Amino acid sequence: MMSGVKWPRLVWLCVLWLACAGCEDDFASVTSITDMRILGARIETVEDPERSTPRPGETAEVQLALARPRTRSKRELRAMFIHCTYPERFTGIPICQELLDALAEDVDLSLGRSVGEGELIIRCEEDRMQSQAGVGLTCLSDDLTLTVPVAADFTGRAMLYRGVVCEGGTPFFDPFKRELFGCDGGRKTVLTHGSIPVSVGEEEDNRNPMVGDVGVTVNGRDWPALEPEAEGELDDIATDCMGLAEELGLKDLDPFEHRIGLEVADDAREQTVEGPETFELSIYATAGELEPRFTLFDEDAQVEEGILAGDVRWLNEGVDVLNEAGEVVDFYITVRDQRGGFALVRRSACIRAGKVRTGSAI
């Protein structure tokens, strides 16, 4: 019996203790997409979509960059998030500043729940949004775009979002669970969190990198993105792609080593008081290995004819298991400006099995 103690204070005290204990990284730092993963998130201000830094009184949309192998059937996605003020101080994975304040002031953060059997766990069985005392709760399905309003009187430096994505299961929040979030059923649970920097004026604004600012080549030849219609036709195809490669404009590659070139226009980087912002490019693929994983364009990066260029090696070690009629391999390139800006660049190729021969081909 918990008489004499308000449940929100007791429950959120447990949250604080469990969260500060820390937990493992969200996923291993590898380049292979062997299961559902969140590669990052693009923050867009509704009032100015190119800007990643909302101001007080504006609304941010957080678009999760999700990657999944093509070889598995895609189950329904459901997600659950809380959003609040990013804490001034924390240990481990961050928790809401409102929580820290509530523990001192005994503010009700129950989000409408009350003590009773089974009432401590909040489940996301349908899409909804609600908020209480500065903490918002959102349940989503399929389109994993989280809407986060920033209060007009917001005085913090950033907003925090934290939650879970479930593949085929029902998301839930359990204040007595170390990870706080989980999935009932389904085949995959992915925990995630991030910050939304808030600017107080034009001098603190940051704009997202644009997908069109990033060029991709393979073995020295241009590798353009597919047209939207072709992307749609390719969505449900995992194998037997050789016949579609020419029709859809899909790159046709042999299953051996290839060089992927990454190019960024130098003037795509915003200027800061310290100089041009740093672009960090990471690359992932649904088959094979990539190295190096990171390509960094900092203030000392070499610029040739206005272009920053890097080189990545892709090697497929699974030649024996490739489908003879070709296998679709997706490549994901994330671009971060290390100030909250993010972009996801995607390329796909039909990797065809064939006789081993020396050298790379297209």
Side-chain angles (χ1 to χ4, degrees):
M1 194 73 181
M2 293 184 259
S3 59
V5 180
K6 289 187 179 180
W7 91 261
R9 182 179 175 85
L10 175 62
V11 167
W12 288 98
L13 184 61
C14 292
V15 171
L16 175 62
W17 183 82
L18 290 168
C20 287
C23 66
E24 296 179 354
D25 292 338
D26 294 332
F27 49 77
S29 296
V30 295
T31 63
S32 298
I33 304 295
T34 58
D35 216 329
M36 184 176 73
R37 290 175 63 173
I38 296 172
L39 303 181
R42 183 179 177 90
I43 303 164
E44 294 186 354
T45 302
V46 172
E47 293 78 2
D48 181 3
E50 292 185 5
R51 182 156 42 90
S52 67
T53 47
R55 300 173 186 173
E58 295 184 330
T59 299
E61 288 188 343
V62 182
Q63 304 166 3
L64 297 182
L66 190 73
R68 288 193 278 182
R70 288 177 177 262
T71 52
R72 293 196 180 93
S73 59
K74 296 180 180 179
R75 305 185 184 186
E76 180 189 25
L77 297 178
R78 295 196 65 82
M80 180 180 195
F81 294 95
I82 58 172
H83 55 83
C84 51
T85 302
Y86 202 89
E88 296 174 4
R89 298 182 181 86
F90 66 93
T91 301
I93 294 178
I95 54 175
C96 301
Q97 183 63 44
E98 287 83 355
L99 165 59
L100 302 175
D101 297 339
L103 291 174
E105 301 172 11
D106 206 15
V107 173
D108 183 3
L109 285 175
S110 63
L111 290 172
R113 313 300 288 188
S114 59
V115 167
E117 277 195 46
E119 290 296 315
L120 295 181
I121 297 177
I122 304 174
R123 287 183 170 81
C124 272
E125 296 175 343
E126 59 184 21
D127 292 5
R128 61 191 171 106
M129 295 176 61
Q130 63 186 93
S131 62
Q132 187 172 352
V135 178
L137 169 69
T138 300
C139 301
L140 299 169
S141 58
D142 294 325
D143 179 18
L144 301 184
T145 300
L146 173 66
T147 299
V148 180
V150 182
D153 59 354
F154 185 80
T155 59
R157 301 301 299 169
M159 298 283 289
L160 167 71
Y161 65 89
R162 182 171 174 179
V164 65
V165 178
C166 305
E167 187 178 28
T170 301
F172 67 83
F173 171 86
D174 183 350
F176 292 101
K177 181 180 175 66
R178 180 173 181 174
E179 298 85 1
L180 303 183
F181 298 91
C183 302
D184 283 335
R187 70 162 302 275
K188 182 66 176 179
T189 298
V190 180
L191 301 170
T192 187
H193 70 277
S195 65
I196 305 170
V198 176
S199 68
V200 295
E202 186 174 343
E203 66 279 0
E204 294 187 0
D205 288 346
N206 182 50
R207 297 194 172 275
N208 281 301
M210 304 301 290
V211 171
D213 291 329
V214 180
V216 186
T217 63
V218 58
N219 302 325
R221 298 186 184 179
D222 188 35
W223 189 359
L226 294 178
E227 295 294 333
E229 289 185 5
E231 282 279 8
E233 290 186 48
L234 194 64
D235 275 348
D236 298 323
I237 298 172
T239 57
D240 301 332
C241 56
M242 285 182 64
L244 294 172
E246 183 174 351
E247 176 185 342
L248 299 180
L250 185 65
K251 185 66 74 174
D252 177 18
L253 301 175
D254 67 31
F256 311 115
E257 179 177 332
H258 297 279
R259 289 283 175 176
I260 299 173
L262 303 176
E263 298 181 348
V264 176
D266 185 43
D267 59 11
R269 300 188 295 169
E270 289 189 88
Q271 293 294 322
T272 71
V273 292
E274 290 85 16
E277 63 186 353
T278 295
F279 272 10
E280 178 187 284
L281 280 65
S282 301
I283 187 165
Y284 311 83
T286 53
E289 297 293 334
L290 292 147
E291 58 180 35
R293 175 184 171 187
F294 299 105
T295 300
L296 196 68
F297 298 136
D298 58 17
E299 61 181 6
D300 297 323
Q302 185 173 359
V303 181
E304 293 186 8
E305 298 183 353
I307 298 296
L308 299 158
D311 194 53
V312 178
R313 184 174 74 112
W314 179 76
L315 177 64
N316 180 33
E317 298 179 351
V319 175
D320 295 338
V321 298
L322 279 177
N323 185 294
E324 290 186 2
E327 175 181 323
V328 178
V329 176
D330 295 311
F331 295 80
Y332 298 87
I333 302 159
T334 63
V335 186
R336 291 178 170 83
D337 63 15
Q338 301 189 348
R339 300 194 300 144
F342 176 89
L344 180 67
V345 177
R346 178 176 165 180
R347 295 292 188 269
S348 299
C350 182
I351 309 297
R352 50 184 166 77
K355 291 181 65 175
V356 176
R357 60 179 179 273
T358 304
S360 298
I362 294 181

